Amino acid sequence: MAIPRRVLPSVALLHYSSPPVIGGVESVLAHQALRLAARGFEVHVLAGRGGALGGRVRLHRLPLLDSRHRRVLAVTHELEQGRVTPAFSALTAQIRRTLARVLAGTDVCLVHNALTLHKNLALTAALHRLASEGFPVRFVVWCHDLAGTNPQYRSHLHPGEPWSLLSTPIPGATYVAVSRERQRQLSAALTLPEAQIEVVPNGIDPAAFLHLTPAARWLADTLRLWEQQIVLLLPARITRRKQIEYALRVVAELVRRELTVRLLVTGPLGAHNPRNQEYFEELHTLRRALAIDEHVVFCTELPGPDGGGIVLSDRVMTDLYLLADGLLLPSREEGFGLPLLEAGLARLPAFTSEIAPLREIGGDAIQTFRTGAPPSVCAQQIIHGLMDDRGYRLRRRILSGYAWDVIMRDRIVPLLTQLAAVLRP
């Protein structure tokens, strides 16, 4: 059954297999397919083995695409011996007919590895034939691995076709490599300028990796925590001894240095002092005066994912420690300091006032500031402390450049939209 054409670009993603088959390429294919479908693309997955992905992604299970299909294995065994037999030609022709039927109406076909690896050379040859015949689909050759650069595959490759197809550019195709090193290797293998090969890295879903609760996912998305340069956590009730006003002034200093910041104040009003409401109003007034309304969040005021208010359960609080870059505790008085214990287990850098209970817990593993120190001193301490922390720098590097939503928004969607526009001006 042919894939129907729609107004939005129709995209096919092709690989030997798809999830639940376990593999890095399979995982990447699934992330790409599901996110493209969520953005309104018509998405089809063509694979020899695998199951449905859901999310409006249609699976076309085409057994002869599988590198482990019995006919493919038999032909691969002959090819490893340097023999190109009629069985290879017959298999290639059948795969070509199947692909022509299923890809009819598709705008763009993302071919993952099948044009740079030798795991199913009949599939490789079939794709080359379709392209050389002018089949109306724009192929995107997505290179994770190359057979020619892997020493363990050297004995499997021989001169001439079909092996030479792995180093033959497809007419009109767009080439994508998952890293600069793969870009360099692919450029050498195909004798293409590196500038003609896009680099689109693989990614990660931070919320899924951290197993965030729905409430924490909502917080991260609504407050755009993934996009900030610094996320600070102040897990305290609204009471004067916590010196939350000092934290607000520290945030103002960070913003003045042109940093994107979120401060999350998690607690409600202190339960035992009726004047805490007055203090809360003072904090709101100060936040407005410092022009940091969007940078300082009192979590108990948030509507939550269902509009009924956010519930900061113990599990959601654990998520906030995972979402934050640093703990900020400017209290002028504490009897203990439970947040320091939690921050330590979450490997979260801690910046606290220099009071005895917090120093007793944290020792020299925390950074402290005098309770009367100017907010600018604390702000500078946070900047230097985080910039000296390789874990923080790596985290922010990953979130800014390797989160799937970022890659999809900045790299993949523009690429596919541009290719579809070329095909349908």
Side-chain angles (χ1 to χ4, degrees):
M1 178 179 176
I3 297 173
R5 181 180 293 277
R6 299 192 327 165
V7 175
L8 289 172
S10 175
V11 181
L13 296 92
L14 183 153
H15 186 50
Y16 309 123
S17 55
S18 66
V21 176
I22 296 174
V25 178
E26 286 79 4
S27 173
V28 168
L29 179 146
H31 279 292
Q32 291 180 349
L34 289 168
R35 282 168 169 76
L36 286 171
R39 284 163 172 78
F41 288 81
E42 180 183 285
V43 180
H44 300 256
V45 167
L46 283 56
R49 188 164 29 112
L53 297 177
R56 302 196 347 259
V57 174
R58 182 178 174 189
L59 173 69
H60 301 258
R61 193 179 290 106
L62 310 175
L64 293 181
L65 271 57
D66 186 1
S67 62
R68 289 172 50 183
H69 188 278
R70 57 179 180 78
R71 284 181 62 189
V72 174
L73 287 173
V75 164
T76 298
H77 179 69
E78 294 174 341
L79 290 172
E80 287 177 352
Q81 298 173 347
R83 297 164 49 217
V84 183
T85 68
F88 171 80
S89 300
L91 182 59
T92 298
Q94 186 172 350
I95 293 174
R96 182 218 158 276
R97 288 194 298 270
T98 300
L99 291 178
R101 171 176 55 82
V102 177
L103 288 174
T106 304
D107 293 307
V108 182
C109 180
L110 278 57
V111 181
H112 286 272
N113 262 3
L115 284 161
T116 55
L117 272 186
H118 63 299
K119 301 297 185 179
N120 186 343
L121 279 171
L123 171 57
T124 306
L127 289 165
H128 270 270
R129 287 190 187 177
L130 284 176
S132 65
E133 293 165 0
F135 188 81
V137 64
R138 186 66 176 263
F139 288 107
V140 179
V141 182
W142 213 284
C143 176
H144 303 260
D145 306 287
L146 291 92
T149 62
N150 193 326
Q152 76 180 70
Y153 297 145
R154 205 160 285 154
S155 63
H156 299 173
L157 307 179
H158 301 275
E161 288 195 16
W163 304 277
S164 61
L165 295 176
L166 298 173
S167 57
T168 302
I170 281 194
T174 297
Y175 280 84
V176 173
V178 296
S179 66
R180 290 179 183 172
E181 176 64 7
R182 281 289 185 260
Q183 179 195 45
R184 183 190 64 77
Q185 294 170 340
L186 188 59
S187 170
L190 300 177
T191 321
L192 282 177
E194 289 186 13
Q196 292 184 21
I197 302 172
E198 302 270 350
V199 176
V200 179
N202 297 334
I204 190 168
D205 180 340
F209 179 78
L210 296 174
H211 297 284
L212 297 183
T213 57
R217 285 174 178 258
W218 181 86
L219 282 166
D221 292 339
T222 302
L223 303 177
R224 306 201 325 269
L225 299 184
W226 308 122
E227 304 169 29
Q228 306 306 307
Q229 291 172 294
I230 299 175
V231 175
L232 295 172
L233 183 64
L234 203 170
R237 288 183 175 272
I238 309 298
T239 182
R240 288 189 186 275
R241 68 182 177 87
K242 300 296 184 179
Q243 287 205 130
I244 298 170
E245 70 278 6
Y246 184 86
L248 268 59
R249 296 187 185 280
V250 170
V251 169
E253 288 291 335
L254 293 170
V255 171
R256 191 172 65 82
R257 290 164 169 77
E258 299 185 345
L259 293 167
T260 55
V261 185
R262 287 284 188 275
L263 170 67
L264 308 180
V265 183
T266 65
L269 293 177
H272 307 297
N273 187 341
R275 297 190 65 183
N276 285 332
Q277 179 62 45
E278 177 185 329
Y279 178 51
F280 199 22
E281 292 169 2
E282 291 175 14
L283 292 175
H284 278 88
T285 300
L286 178 61
R287 184 174 65 171
R288 286 193 299 272
L290 294 172
I292 54 171
D293 290 82
E294 69 173 295
H295 301 284
V296 175
V297 178
F298 297 107
C299 293
T300 56
E301 295 182 329
L302 295 172
D306 58 2
I310 195 78
V311 177
L312 297 183
S313 64
D314 289 346
R315 180 65 182 86
V316 176
M317 283 301 301
T318 298
D319 288 345
L320 292 184
Y321 278 92
L322 297 176
L323 288 167
D325 297 307
L327 178 76
L328 179 58
L329 290 180
S331 304
R332 67 168 178 263
E333 193 274 330
E334 292 284 356
F336 188 66
L338 183 61
L340 270 183
L341 307 186
E342 297 165 337
L345 291 184
R347 302 184 183 184
L348 197 63
F351 305 91
T352 80
S353 54
E354 196 172 51
I355 57 178
L358 300 182
R359 175 62 80 184
E360 180 181 341
I361 296 169
D364 62 359
I366 61 175
Q367 299 200 48
T368 62
F369 46 88
R370 292 181 297 103
T371 53
S376 59
V377 171
C378 179
Q380 199 65 24
Q381 201 169 17
I382 290 171
I383 293 170
H384 287 165
L386 292 179
M387 292 304 134
D388 289 342
D389 186 328
R390 293 190 180 189
Y392 161 81
R393 298 205 310 271
L394 178 59
R395 170 191 172 86
R396 281 296 155 193
R397 181 181 177 88
I398 299 309
L399 289 175
S400 64
Y402 295 91
W404 269 122
D405 285 341
V406 173
I407 294 169
M408 193 60 57
R409 181 194 68 208
D410 296 345
R411 307 281 192 95
I412 296 177
V413 169
L415 172 65
L416 297 182
T417 303
Q418 179 183 9
L419 291 178
V422 171
L423 287 166
R424 291 187 277 158

